[in-house]
Amino acid sequence: MAVFLSALGFGVVTAAILAISAVGFTLQFSVTNVFNLSFGSVMTISGFVAYWLNSAGLGIWPAMAVAAIAGGALSLAINELLYEPFIRHGVNLFGMVIVTISVGLICDHALQAIVGPSFFSYEAPAGKAFHFADFVLTGQELAIIGIAVALTVLVQAALQYTRLGKAMRGLSVNPSLARACGVPTRRVIALAWFVSGVLAGIGGVALFLDISTFTATTGSEFLIVIIAAAVLGGIGSPRGAVLGALVVGIVTEVGAAYWNPELKDVLAFSVLIVVLLVRPQGLFSQLATERAVAR
Amino acid sequence: MSASDSTAALVLDSVSAGYGGHEVVRGVSLSLHPGRIECVVGPNGAGKSTLLRAITGDAQFLGGRIWLGGSDISRMAGNRLVRRGLAWVPQLDDVFTTLTVRENLELGGFLLPRRRVAARVDELLDLFPLLRSLTSRIAGRLSGGERKLLAIARALMPSPTALLLDEPTAGLSPEMTGLVLEGQLPRLSESGVAVLLVEQRAIEAIEISARVHVMVSGEIRVSRPAAEVRDWDELARLFLGEG
Amino acid sequence: MSAATQYYIATILVYIAVNAIASWGLDLQFGVTGVLNFAFILFQAAGAYTTAMLSLGPASGNGGFQRYLVGVHLPFPLPILGAMLVGAALSAVVGLITLRRLRSDYQAMVMLVVSVVATVVAESVLGLANGSAGLSLIPNPAEGLAGLARQAQTWVFVGICAVCMLVVGLLMYALVYSPYGRVLRGTRENEPAIEAMGRNATRARMQVFVLGGALGALSGALLAEFIGAWAPSDWLYPETFVFFTAVIVGGRGSVSGVAVGSALVCVGVQQAVQYLPIGGDPTVLASLEWIITGLLTMLFLWVRPQGLLPERRRRFPAAERVLAPGDVGGAVEVDA
């Protein structure tokens, strides 16, 4: 029971990081229909922005806030300067997947050429340990969980209750009708990219804090787990992404505790594959059919 | 008919439109007046839907002018037309299927001042009483008729001066067709909106219209007061272009 | 010619052949039929490992320094044939999971996930193929030839690769330009039309998936025999992307185009960066290769989506665009 509870503790932290990132990934996908495989690079670059600020003496939490803005700006810039022109040029959904992979590889390797292949870590105290029965969480881990809960609730509430949130949901199912309602679709799409980048930035810093050492490709490697969580929950559904993050996070850490820690991701991916075999659209998704790229 | 027709809500002046340079609609002129329903009827492939798409900016505009309340809106982008007081209901994909009925209406009022939205939703629920009990239903789960009423209500949210309806009864049961055409549309026009109705069901459309335009091969062959065309023989002759 | 120069040229030739075979395999799936196989590198790896396990002796040999399964020391060409069988079988399994019920964007993502999982398993399960250290001392079939000098043996292996490339190339021509090839392209461009003609699009995808997997495995088998070693770091999931670039640059669905694209992208880019005046830092060089590959892909998707040597065929415009505006997609073929 003690092993289980401590694994559960780790699982919740992993799930928190996954939830922040997966919500960002899936929100942008639901609005634009672009499967953005450069999302991991935005996480990494934001994580490095925080690293440079942190090395210059800034505390990790203010550094995370700046990294969030940097991530949002980078994500928006990539869309406006690359993806949007490619979509207007007539490149379709699959072409766009390849464009996003290209952008991700270019970002990762440009960063790697600058920082080199070494491992980095933040200067940040883990904080006081808090005991909850048998599971122990550091102050830092509690903060990450708190941020994840706050952000996911915030995003969900904004989508559910605000005018812009409803416009975003409407746009994701029926772009031309959204235009017919007077929704400035281009600006709403830009907003989705920005919010997605902010979540990538926060998720990136939280990930790097949690795993303590990172390289120029850490974000892209973690992206696969994010995709697993997002697809598991049903891509395009932020609620599903949170659920998928919880399943993946907890299954991996509990699996690591009882089985081979190196194979923990395999367990998560197996869950994904089994779920997709039973329910091809994911646990939560309402969109079972394909759509074209939103313009 | 021209822009000088100052009482008209929407004026089309020899509009041509199509796709990829291919002309589907040729030199169509008509004007729409507040509080009146006018219908465009004609055989399949006559270019009726393309005519509506030319107005909403979804088809390629190949010539002519469109005036809305006195200002030129030819070639204007869709989301700006809404601000000028034009609303339309597409034939398919006419609601946000994953949103509730209330959310659909709220999104229809995207351009209204925030504090006006709830009151306007209530007004439309008064106008469409059938929707009142369904406000928290997901739009994708409505029946065909309920869905079409929601689509029309959504389009009316910003209180447009002109409303374009693209075959609102396509795929509906005769009962629902009656509800939409005879039950609902005449009441709309009482509120002062100018309605342009494109319909396959010519007889029913003519019943509720003030004026009929018969479109054949991309051109308006005949325009006349609906009262003058109320029998099948007359209509059949018009469809064949002998009017 | 010095021994070093000869070996350099031989290496380039082997790489050209191996990469052409692999790129053709992916082209059948992605280029001709439209299946986004983001796990392609996995099938090359399966071929490499299978060849190693079939041609190496028992794991206890060489002082038992590496652990692996099988080890039956089969003679040429059995390990290569075995590799192709395993590649095909593995493709069938992955295809059954992904191709039947999933949306096509999910298919791509699930394959990406499968590729990563496979690397993790190969790294973590030591007894399978010696974990992250990988397998070494994989026998080269030409080395067994008695009475031949080392250099001559290398050229014999180049010959084996050339024959394989030739056979696969001819097979590709026969397949792609046959009536069956038209069904495959129809699956890519207008699935409903293909289904309406009584052809099963899912079955067509399964077939090219299995065939492409076998070709991927063949390329891996030859590569492992030539290098003599194979490890998880050789087949990380982004490597698949290099083959996608080769297909896009060369011309989707074009047999000769893909061969040219693969020589340029898989071999040319790597050679070119060696001669750039930026010093010899291996990390920077590797990064630069990736950056150039990414830029090339985007450049071609923008400027010349049909590739250097476009797919040839008669067509008339139809339903839907497949990749990009200048792309040959969106055409329904008529018999030439």
Side-chain angles (χ1 to χ4, degrees), chain B residues 178-202:
Chain B
L179 179 69
V180 172
L181 290 186
E182 278 119 58
Q184 209 60 253
L185 287 187
R187 290 172 56 198
L188 294 190
S189 56
E190 285 163 22
S191 70
V193 63
V195 179
L196 182 61
L197 171 67
V198 159
E199 257 301 334
Q200 281 286 331
R201 304 190 198 232

Side-chain angles (χ1 to χ4, degrees), chain C residues 196-238:
Chain C
M197 282 158 61
R199 306 300 189 121
N200 185 330
T202 305
R203 191 187 303 153
R205 286 199 192 93
M206 269 304 285
Q207 286 162 345
V208 292
F209 204 69
V210 169
L211 200 53
L215 292 181
L218 171 62
S219 75
L222 294 171
L223 200 55
E225 287 183 337
F226 184 70
I227 310 171
W230 190 258
S233 60
D234 294 323
W235 53 285
L236 298 175
Y237 72 93

Side-chain angles (χ1 to χ4, degrees), chain A residues 159-160 163-164 166-188 286-287, chain B residues 78-79 82-83 86 88 90 93-100 103-104 106-114 117 138 154:
Chain A
L159 283 175
Q160 204 65 46
R163 171 194 293 249
L164 220 46
K166 285 171 199 160
M168 216 175 254
R169 281 158 60 213
L171 173 59
S172 78
V173 285
N174 196 336
S176 72
L177 196 65
R179 268 191 294 275
C181 291
V183 175
T185 46
R186 272 205 68 172
R187 264 184 281 168
V188 175
Q286 290 160 324
L287 4 128
Chain B
N79 46 8
V82 191
R83 287 176 198 277
L86 185 73
W88 64 97
D93 294 327
D94 51 352
V95 298
F96 298 103
T97 50
T98 56
L99 272 57
T100 64
E103 286 171 338
N104 265 276
E106 286 167 347
L107 199 43
F110 185 82
L111 294 173
L112 291 177
R114 254 164 247 264
V117 175
I138 300 288
R154 189 231 87 231

Side-chain angles (χ1 to χ4, degrees), chain A residues 46-59:
Chain A
S46 315
F48 269 89
V49 167
Y51 170 76
W52 290 318
L53 293 170
N54 183 238
S55 310
L58 192 65

Side-chain angles (χ1 to χ4, degrees), chain B residues 18 43 46 57 110 119 131 143 147-148 158 165 171 179 220 228 242:
Chain B
F110 185 82
L131 295 175
S143 75
R147 179 176 160 139
K148 192 51 80 178
L165 298 173
L179 179 69
I220 300 243
E228 296 175 18
E242 292 163 10

